[in-house]
Amino acid sequence: MKHHPILIIGHRNPDIDSIASAIAYARLKEMEGNTKVMAGAAGQLNRETSYVLEKLRIQPPPLISDVKARVEDLLDNEPVVMLHPVMKLGEAANLLRDRQSKTLAITDKNQRLLGVMTVGDLAMILLDGVGDPNSPEEAGTRVQRIMDTPLSEIMKPQNLVVFDQSDLVAEARDMMLKTRYRNYPVVDEGNHFLGMISRYHLLGMQRKPVILVDHNEKSQALEGIEEADLLEIIDHHRVGDLESISPIYFRNEPVGATCTLIAKIYIEKGYTPEPKIAGLLLSGILSDTMIFKSPTTTGTDREIAEWLAEISGLEIEEWGREIFRVASPLDLNETRNAINEDLKEYKYGNTTFAVAQIETADMTHLEQYFPEIQETIEKISASRGYDLMFLMVTDIFVGGTQLLIAGEKGDLGVRIFSDNHRHELFLKGVLSRKKQIIPIIFRGLAQNELV
Ligand SMILES: [Mn+2]
């Protein structure tokens, strides 16, 4: 049986907070003496995350696409028995008896699967041979001759149901129900024999152990999470819809970043993160709290950040600006990609609207593209059937958001935020979509229905 390490992983479309939390928490587990842990990434790293890891000289975590149960998770620890095709049937029969096996694999000298021999096959061969009334031989001689036959002459490689170790358990289960053999050989990519599985093995299936950080909703988790063994959740988002089989350690606090919680756990357990891990945790906090300017920021985030800055030797404001500079889209193309990457849809009554947000460290630089960006969101809005679309271009250094509004009900959108007619307006002090934009749109749409 393949023993999987505990996978610590954040949400899909990972940001710095997700990746940093996973790496730092895995490191803490190692410091505590748990060697079978690994951090993973539930998606391609974005530019600022790669930048932070490179700067701090931290290896990026491997990309993990899913935690679905696979056939390799069914294999047990029994030693694998392989027969060579030159082996005589008699020897194979002894092995079947000694091992109390019902099925044995026949392989070449490189352990590649050639066929199988079952107790049933052996019985049929004996019955056929011994019971032949036309044979002139004595029964004993006949049995001896049969037992001297090499396996290569009797093995049946056809109609063999073989599983690849990476096949999904769900599919293998269906196949087993359809074919109902006693045992099924499992091979790797190179057709090397790895062991036998049976329906009985489905009961002892090994679920992959997983710890989730920075999310607790199924739609944000990597695929197959319902087939995994959920061990812990550490998060700072609203409580979502994931279920666990047994009681687990579930820590959720309304702070600005999951990295704040991971750092708190270090402190509670009496550990100090290494300087580069402290720098990584600090990066997650600065990114998620927009260098403490987001209204989601708490006093705990600031305190913990100070502590991490001291250990890492990084200067908070300077390092934060560097991260946001890297995160800023530089040209029109990058801006368009960023809009599509961070687009959230909502519905109120019969109005469907979307709000996208991009962050920039240099609003004046992006301003030159505003006409093209306006065109882009008009197109997105039309092609996706939105009545209304908002784009927040947020500059945390200026401390405000330029709002671009598109869609058939664009004028209504403008009226919600201002009394002039421009589809482009600046909102000072507005940084958070969740707290400062969405509620106002909903309120505006509700009022519009009343008049
Ligand atoms: Mn987060």
Side-chain angles (χ1 to χ4, degrees):
M1 156 167 30
K2 201 167 165 182
H3 274 289
H4 295 282
I6 298 172
L7 173 67
I8 306 182
I9 197 159
H11 53 76
R12 299 189 204 190
N13 297 323
D15 53 11
I16 301 181
D17 193 32
S18 265
I19 298 294
S21 300
I23 293 173
Y25 199 46
R27 189 69 196 104
L28 176 61
K29 294 268 180 203
E30 277 169 11
M31 289 166 102
E32 289 182 296
N34 193 336
T35 51
K36 298 213 69 181
V37 287
M38 65 173 282
Q44 225 39 263
L45 300 190
N46 61 25
R47 195 167 42 187
E48 57 271 30
T49 307
S50 302
Y51 178 82
V52 165
L53 292 176
E54 214 180 289
K55 269 285 198 146
L56 297 171
R57 296 174 189 282
I58 296 170
Q59 194 73 20
L63 187 67
I64 309 289
S65 57
D66 72 80
V67 279
K68 288 178 179 170
R70 302 198 176 261
V71 164
E72 63 186 6
D73 302 321
L74 299 176
L75 290 168
D76 55 30
N77 284 321
E78 299 296 308
V80 174
V81 187
M82 286 177 261
L83 312 181
H84 204 251
V86 297
M87 186 184 258
K88 300 221 160 65
L89 187 59
E91 285 174 76
N94 283 337
L95 262 174
L96 275 172
R97 197 182 50 223
D98 292 350
R99 301 269 171 185
Q100 303 213 330
S101 305
K102 305 282 190 260
T103 314
L104 290 174
I106 303 165
T107 62
D108 69 9
K109 59 180 186 300
N110 293 317
Q111 311 191 345
R112 281 185 294 243
L113 184 70
L114 298 172
V116 295
M117 194 187 83
T118 68
V119 167
D121 295 340
L122 179 65
M124 282 313 291
I125 291 162
L126 283 172
L127 284 174
D128 283 353
V130 177
D132 181 359
N134 301 319
S135 171
E137 289 168 302
E138 290 287 320
T141 325
R142 264 181 271 158
V143 170
Q144 195 50 55
R145 186 173 47 77
I146 293 163
M147 286 304 187
D148 283 343
T149 318
L151 293 177
S152 56
E153 280 180 30
I154 50 160
M155 68 182 182
K156 286 177 274 176
Q158 295 96 344
N159 299 329
L160 202 57
V161 179
V162 180
F163 292 124
D164 189 279
Q165 62 173 343
S166 63
D167 287 346
L168 294 176
V169 167
E171 284 161 18
R173 180 188 289 121
D174 289 349
M175 193 63 186
M176 288 188 201
L177 288 174
K178 243 180 262 164
T179 51
R180 307 196 79 83
Y181 292 125
R182 204 188 290 265
N183 292 291
Y184 300 80
V186 178
V187 296
D188 67 10
E189 284 169 358
N191 196 36
H192 299 101
F193 177 68
L194 300 175
M196 293 283 182
I197 57 166
S198 64
R199 268 163 297 180
Y200 161 81
H201 286 89
L202 291 170
L203 301 173
M205 186 177 82
Q206 284 292 304
R207 289 169 174 267
K208 297 189 173 95
V210 178
I211 293 175
L212 299 184
V213 291
D214 202 32
H215 69 302
N216 72 93
E217 284 189 59
K218 211 159 134 186
S219 64
Q220 294 171 6
L222 77 175
E223 265 185 70
I225 192 68
E226 60 283 345
E227 292 175 35
D229 187 10
L230 203 51
L231 302 181
E232 297 181 28
I233 299 175
I234 301 168
D235 191 18
H236 69 131
H237 292 96
R238 73 179 199 105
V239 175
D241 57 0
L242 272 172
E243 289 174 13
S244 69
I245 300 165
S246 10
I248 63 164
Y249 179 76
F250 182 13
R251 180 160 188 165
N252 193 297
E253 289 182 39
V255 289
T258 300
C259 281
T260 299
L261 298 176
I262 303 292
K264 268 177 90 175
I265 298 172
Y266 267 84
I267 295 170
E268 288 160 8
K269 296 197 165 179
Y271 288 94
T272 305
E274 300 128 280
K276 61 180 184 178
I277 297 292
L280 186 63
L281 286 166
L282 175 63
S283 310
I285 297 174
L286 296 177
S287 158
D288 256 32
T289 64
M290 300 182 168
I291 322 182
F292 312 133
K293 293 187 180 77
S294 163
T296 55
T297 311
T298 67
T300 313
D301 298 308
R302 288 170 192 277
E303 267 170 48
I304 295 280
E306 298 281 350
W307 180 65
L308 294 168
E310 210 167 287
I311 300 167
S312 64
L314 289 165
E315 204 282 309
I316 289 182
E317 194 64 32
E318 192 187 320
W319 180 235
R321 279 174 178 267
E322 200 170 324
I323 291 172
F324 277 91
R325 248 194 316 273
V326 175
S328 303
L330 294 177
D331 57 24
L332 189 57
N333 222 355
E334 286 180 8
T335 306
R336 284 180 174 143
N337 289 340
I339 294 170
N340 280 305
E341 264 171 35
D342 189 14
L343 184 75
K344 295 195 166 132
E345 292 177 18
Y346 306 86
K347 204 173 163 60
Y348 180 85
N350 51 15
T351 303
T352 305
F353 67 98
V355 184
Q357 183 173 26
I358 57 176
E359 282 146 23
T360 176
D362 190 359
M363 183 77 88
T364 45
H365 173 73
L366 270 193
E367 263 162 8
Q368 57 178 315
Y369 303 120
F370 278 179
E372 287 93 343
I373 296 174
Q374 179 71 38
E375 248 172 65
T376 300
I377 62 172
E378 292 286 1
K379 267 187 206 152
I380 294 175
S381 181
S383 71
R384 299 201 186 195
Y386 303 141
D387 301 296
L388 195 50
M389 176 165 173
F390 301 86
L391 171 65
M392 299 172 67
V393 182
T394 302
D395 185 328
I396 58 161
F397 302 116
V398 173
T401 290
Q402 187 82 40
L403 199 62
L404 275 66
I405 303 170
E408 235 163 77
K409 295 189 184 174
D411 290 337
L412 170 60
V414 173
R415 261 184 283 133
I416 290 174
F417 286 96
S418 128
D419 41 20
N420 70 28
H421 305 290
R422 288 168 56 84
H423 279 230
E424 173 199 306
L425 48 125
F426 185 75
L427 306 174
K428 201 169 163 26
V430 171
L431 299 170
S432 165
R433 168 169 49 193
K434 183 165 67 178
K435 285 201 166 177
Q436 295 169 302
I437 291 287
I438 303 297
I440 294 166
I441 299 174
F442 274 110
R443 215 176 302 142
L445 292 173
Q447 265 164 14
N448 184 62
E449 267 186 13
L450 296 175
V451 270

